[in-house]
Amino acid sequence: MARVPGGSRLKALVIGAASALLVVAAVTVLTAGTSGHAPLQQATPFTLTAVGDPARPISLADYAGRPVIINFFASWCEICRIETPLIARFYRAHHGRVLIVGIDGNDHTKPALTFMRAHGVTYPVAADPSLSLTSTYGAGAGFPQTFFLNAKHQIVRHVFGAVTAGELSSWASEVLAHPAGAS
């Protein structure tokens, strides 16, 4: 078979285009349902024990009828070391009005508690050492991940990677403006 001049360049172009299409398709699939047009997915209910206090349960049912943010993280996660202090400051500034539950996945108690103290975490944090809940939410693909739930505990937004101050502030504005719903 004869070589076509520029064939390797064409091959690279085709591979690049195919890769770009795959990325667009993946983003489309991951963001489906967040536009408000598709039905919202119900958050998986859970009851786990608090990090460092196995006698204290933390349950999504405890927040029935209230919007809540669920943040999946781990003490060994580099991005979480940047994100967690931001979330902790946000929680302290809005305590009682904006609810946050942390889910510490695939971690040991001592490093998790050290991490939480070092970053000023005062919101409830549940332990998920075997990643059972983390996997159910699809957050096992990497940390951190944050889920914004409305008062019906439907997932209205999912952030893969570090959440920003702007995203948290936007959510707080919505929750405070419409305490019964935050959609």
Side-chain angles (χ1 to χ4, degrees):
M1 178 175 241
R3 276 195 103 170
V4 177
S8 59
R9 200 177 301 162
L10 178 62
K11 186 176 180 181
L13 253 164
V14 170
I15 290 172
S19 297
L21 284 173
L22 285 173
V23 169
V24 169
V27 168
T28 302
V29 168
L30 290 173
T31 59
T34 59
S35 66
H37 298 290
L40 298 174
Q41 180 183 351
Q42 192 68 37
T44 302
F46 62 85
T47 300
L48 297 169
T49 61
V51 171
D53 188 357
R56 188 175 131 229
I58 296 176
S59 177
L60 184 59
D62 294 340
Y63 304 99
R66 299 177 71 189
V68 64
I69 297 170
I70 301 174
N71 176 254
F72 289 86
F73 73 97
S75 67
W76 44 263
C77 163
E78 291 297 323
I79 298 171
C80 300
R81 293 178 186 176
I82 298 165
E83 179 194 59
T84 299
L86 170 74
I87 294 173
R89 283 190 304 275
F90 173 81
Y91 180 74
R92 286 191 302 276
H94 294 89
H95 185 62
R97 299 178 298 160
V98 178
L99 302 172
I100 298 175
V101 174
I103 307 294
D104 180 51
N106 193 24
D107 218 343
H108 296 285
T109 302
K110 187 175 178 178
L113 288 171
T114 300
F115 177 85
M116 290 163 49
R117 279 188 218 107
H119 296 297
V121 174
T122 56
Y123 49 87
V125 177
D128 187 20
S130 65
L131 298 177
S132 58
L133 180 67
T134 303
S135 296
T136 300
Y137 272 78
F143 293 119
Q145 290 195 44
T146 305
F147 294 82
F148 294 84
L149 311 182
N150 64 17
K152 295 176 185 175
H153 292 172
Q154 297 168 316
I155 300 169
V156 295
R157 180 151 194 188
H158 172 207
V159 176
F160 184 87
V163 71
T164 66
E167 289 165 323
L168 293 170
S169 294
S170 174
W171 177 256
S173 296
E174 180 68 22
V175 168
L176 298 174
H178 307 293
S183 55

